[in-house]
Amino acid sequence: MRLEIESIDIQAVRPGTHTGVSDHVLYINLKELEEIILRDERILSVELNVTSPGEPVRIVNVVDVIQPRCKLGHEKEDFPGYLGKLVIAGQGKTRSLRGIAVVLSNSFSKRLYSSVIDMFGLGADRGIYGKMQNLVIHPIPAEGVEERAFETALKVAGLKIAVYLARSSVGTSPDQVEIFDLDIPLVLSQNRGSLPRIVYYYQIHTPQHDYKGIGDPMLYGRDVTDLMPTLLHPNEILDGALVSTHTIRKMETYSIQNHPLILELYKRHGKELWFAGTVIGVATVDPIQRQRMANMVGNLIANYLGADGAILTKVHGGMPHVDISMVGEACEALGVKTTVFVNFGHSVGTRSDSLLFDTEVLNAVVNLGQTLERIGLPRPGDLKILGGTSETLVYNPEFKQKAGDPVLEVEGMFLAGLYNHLGGAKIIACEY
Amino acid sequence: MTPSKLKVVHYLNQFFGQVGQEEKADLPFMVKKGPVGPGMALQKILGEKGEVVGTIICGDNYFADNLEKAAEDGVRLAASFTPELFFAGPAFEAGRYGLSCGAICRKVQERLAIPAITGMFVENPGVELYRRDVYICRTGKSAAKMAEDLTKMVNLAFHILSPERGTRLISGENIIRPEEGDYFPRGLLKNEFTEKTAAARGVDMLLAKIQGKPFLTEAGKVKERAIPPPSPIADLTKAEIALISDGGLTWKGNPDGFRGRGNVVWSKYEIDQFLPQNYSAENYEVVHTGYYPLHVLGNPNRLVPVDAMRDLEKEGLVGKLHPFIYSTSGNANTASVCERIGREMAQDLKSTKVGGVILTST
């Protein structure tokens, strides 16, 4: 499977009479975008704003961040199953805009959590999105539209705009072309010499937080709550088969499109290791199902893909930690060496307090940081808020705080783009 | 005294305070102006940066017999100097002295909101008791390296007082690493920046593990805790069984102050009032941010299976359902807090006729 991603670096965004890219500047006709979004009857009206690094802007109620991308050539189905027709993602050419993101704000969500992006100060320095140009989409639902339908409408709007922006760059020559060419049957049959065969196990979801007991669409446009472990080509993940849920849990669509661990394995493929593919699966609340799925993942990795080693990542939460450790044990029992990525959910105690497993074989743990650490984000005098108002509540476990407070005490996991469950952040939790 | 000099108060026991040996260990507090004993060395190290304006001295037994009250008294005496910085000891290996140094430092921080620093030998019981609240520098067993130990304490103090922002921690705090400040870790987890992404570290680690090369896990090691199981229930048909859940179920309004994560409390509720057969679903709240409580809020029996237990009781499979259910919220808690809650529940249950417990989690 071969995928070419052509990237154009966007250095500035300006209003324009038409939408297009010229000399690294993206001109946007906001009226055009508004028309596209309002074609969806679930949306009554929409606020569209562009913001750049350094501006005194705070984006609140953030539920997802998407990189502008579109397919080129024959296979023109973008985000298949969600937006485009159902085809297999991950092949052909994809156009991508770098340095700009589409940010989705939902101020009508009744879910407990959402995220914040600051375009200034400490928040911008810490999260990756405060360093980019951002187009913020903040819609208002049409009357009588059910909460979930509106959430889906917002996601669809974001994906459409991401595609539209990328498509507007066609004709401009790319700054970089990256080729992701991985022929897994060949990888499995080739003489690999001393290079170990490595498989990535990607736990993509946990049902424990399913809002109202229903999963959000993620994989080719459908929910994955009952997904059994399956093989997925890493290119499918990079190229729109998988998007984030309707809330951010350190795995927004942008970081799936730029999956740090998949990119790392590609980078080292053929040099230090053979990248032999990806298995995806979910966590579960059912202990029997947990064992069943752990066994199946271990079996796929060891007996199907013949891996020497596997890297395991998990989603946010304690229960998924148990799932991932059972997958790890299943792999190790079949002779596959593992590394497990975990985050810590407490600010006191030792690093080992967070380990929900006690087994000798899971001895290679990567620590993604203590994601509940609070960061104080002071506001500038002329703060402008997008996606809400200065009265918008920003989650804090101890007190009610508003987006316009003098200092926002935000837990790191709610500063979008700071932590990354998929390995993209340069962070580690240490004992002090 | 120049205005830039910080006012420093120093705490010593009767021995280092040069009042006497063990026979003076019952002496109450006394206050001296200026430095005494090790305070002379402390003053020398502080140099122009600070002045030891007063020394508080207390007998080891007097202090250790009533730590909390003595600490309060000591702070009151220290406050009369309006200090900006406080040192205690170092206490080295001396157990009672270590406790008093830890207790007074903690109280000084609480009451006067100034840094308070002490020093101890690793085996001093004061270390385990106070290291979470107080910066305790590592010292040797004895006063042989007094000047070196005091220098560590002074350096740490000025690092804490420094208004500079740090660059190593995500939070921007300017906290020195335990090994650099040579103090006992305070049981905090803080995020640092790293050179490499987690993805790169993870691939490196896996390759090393496969190749049999040394690698360093980034999560420590779980302490082994072998808990012997109690003897089995001899006759279930006569046994009284209790229900415990950590699913965060409580009365609407959360009267017992559960926290949705990092919870530290538990409660017990009498089933006849809390969860009768004709319960009303709107009376409950789930204080737990780790799951979406759709089914529990619809019917709390799905978390705490009182209905199923009543059936088993009727069938005669179990003797009796204990009339209280025990509830807490278990989400992102530390092991030590969970252990305490478990111990307290077990203690409570031991005063009843309960022979077995069913724990339901989420």
Side-chain angles (χ1 to χ4, degrees), chain A residues 4-24:
Chain A
E4 280 185 35
I5 298 182
E6 305 181 353
S7 296
I8 294 187
D9 294 316
I10 300 298
Q11 284 153 5
V13 176
R14 302 221 174 93
T17 51
H18 76 287
T19 302
V21 174
S22 169
D23 203 16
H24 302 290

Side-chain angles (χ1 to χ4, degrees), chain A residues 126 208 349 370 411 419 430 432, chain B residues 170 187 190-192 261 290:
Chain A
R126 296 304 193 247
Q208 79 203 88
Q370 185 268 96
E411 289 187 330
Y419 297 108
C430 299
Y432 271 82
Chain B
I170 304 292
K190 300 257 173 207
N191 291 312
E192 288 187 6
R261 77 158 103 90

